Each structure stands twice: as C-alpha cells, then as structure tokens.
Amino acid sequence: MFTGIIEALGHVAAVEELGGDRRMRFAADADLDGVRPGDSIAVNGVCLTATALDAHQFSADLSAETLALTTAGGWTVGRRVNLEQALTAGKPLGGHLVTGHVDGVGHLIERFEDARSWRFRFEAPPDLARYIARKGSICIDGVSLTVNDVEGSRFGVNIIPHTLSQTTLGGLQAGDPVNLEVDVIARYLERLLDSRREVV
C-alpha cells in the first residue's frame, strides 16, 4: 500500500530481457533507507518487488502482464521515474490509499498554465472513466492528485509548482502515456452494489 506522495526521483539504469519478461535496475536520486530485498517500491505507480539493492539502486522483475498493461513496457535506460516506498504503520497518509496495481494507461491531452500552477487534462480508457469523479482522488504515474473536473472519459487536474518540480509530471507533453490507478474505494463500492443486485 502507498500514499501517492513521491519520495524520490530516479531513472531506469538497466533493462535485461529474460524470456518474455524483463529485469530492470533503477537508480534513485536519494538513499533507499530501510529498503530490503522483498520490499515493495512503487515506480511510476507500478508496485514492484525489490529483488536486489544497494544504497541507491534496486532491481525488480517485471512480468509480461505488467509490461503489457502499464507504461513499463516502453521504459528504456535513462527514463525518469517517480519512486515511493511502501506505507508503514505510523507514516503520514498525505495523499490517498494507493495499491500500486495500475488499472490502465491514459494519455495527456493538453497542459496550460494557470497562475503559478499548471492544468493538465488527461483521457482515461472508457472502462475506467466511471470511477473518476470530480473532487475524487486519482493516481497518475504514482502521484496522488485531486480531480478538478470530468467530461466523459477526460478529466482535469491542477499541478502545483512543488509537484511539478519534484515528480516526473513536469516533463509530460501532449500525447504522452501515463499509468492510472483509480480510487480503490470506487472499485469496491461498485462490486458491493453489483453483489446486491445479484442477490435481489
């Protein structure tokens, strides 16, 4: 479980093809304090298991499914990424509950300045749009954000200067793909309502 509050930036340091899936090594811009082999780290919102690490780097295996269903399939050496260690008891929950299980890939439609902030408009896959609500939460490339407006499968968010400078979102351009994770509460609520309909 994660919060969507990015703790460090990093980059893809190595990519190794392994019979249909890949092993990647990631270099962090900060120490990976307390991380041990087997721990979870969210990389651009994708929950990965650290299999080997040192003070500033860790390796992870990415399955064929992860490569197919997230932007990870297009990651190459040098790609900048957002990093967050798993939530621990007593850690502030500054964003919202994030699982690191990416629901789909969306795309940035446009970005424009709004005072000192930036407005970003994204398009989500149609099957995810029903989970995105105005003033609800969404995780984009691992970053917890508040939805400002929704129109069909398109939605807007406001990016403050701090978030723009401390995450990879500042480098996004129109057309770029992003990992999306919708609010887990919306998914469970839908399942509960479906179950009640099945019983009636």
Side-chain angles (χ1 to χ4, degrees):
M1 193 66 72
F2 305 92
T3 66
I5 302 299
I6 303 306
E7 296 175 324
L9 288 170
H11 66 273
V12 178
V15 178
E16 182 182 0
E17 299 287 344
L18 293 172
D21 58 28
R22 293 177 194 155
R23 179 171 295 144
M24 294 189 186
R25 187 163 32 96
F26 301 94
D29 293 352
D31 284 345
L32 299 170
D33 293 329
V35 178
R36 291 177 284 195
D39 285 354
S40 296
I41 300 178
V43 180
N44 269 19
V46 181
C47 179
L48 299 177
T49 301
T51 57
L53 57 97
D54 59 32
H56 291 280
Q57 297 191 4
F58 69 96
S59 296
D61 291 320
L62 286 79
S63 69
E65 179 169 355
T66 298
L67 295 171
L69 298 180
T70 71
T71 61
W75 295 351
T76 56
V77 172
R79 166 70 183 255
R80 296 289 284 167
V81 292
N82 297 313
L83 301 172
E84 180 189 356
Q85 295 180 43
L87 181 64
T88 57
K91 186 175 178 182
L93 184 59
H96 70 284
L97 291 178
V98 176
T99 65
H101 304 157
V102 173
D103 292 304
V105 175
H107 292 84
L108 178 63
I109 302 301
E110 63 176 343
R111 57 179 286 175
F112 56 90
E113 290 183 79
D114 184 8
R116 293 189 312 112
S117 297
W118 283 78
R119 296 280 184 155
F120 283 41
R121 180 163 295 281
F122 294 92
E123 182 154 20
D127 61 325
L128 291 184
R130 66 180 179 270
Y131 302 111
I132 302 171
R134 183 177 178 273
K135 298 306 175 187
S137 297
I138 191 157
C139 192
I140 300 176
D141 275 351
V143 183
S144 173
L145 296 167
T146 300
V147 177
N148 291 117
D149 59 86
V150 180
E151 185 177 344
S153 61
R154 296 186 174 190
F155 65 95
V157 297
N158 184 73
I159 312 293
I160 62 172
H162 176 81
T163 304
L164 203 70
S165 67
Q166 299 300 310
T167 71
T168 61
L169 298 183
L172 290 178
Q173 299 299 322
D176 285 346
V178 293
N179 291 318
L180 298 177
E181 182 184 332
V182 297
D183 191 342
V184 68
I185 295 172
R187 281 201 170 279
Y188 280 115
L189 181 60
E190 180 186 54
R191 179 64 182 141
L192 287 170
L193 292 173
D194 284 348
S195 297
R196 289 184 64 185
R197 289 189 200 102
E198 291 168 5
V199 170
V200 172

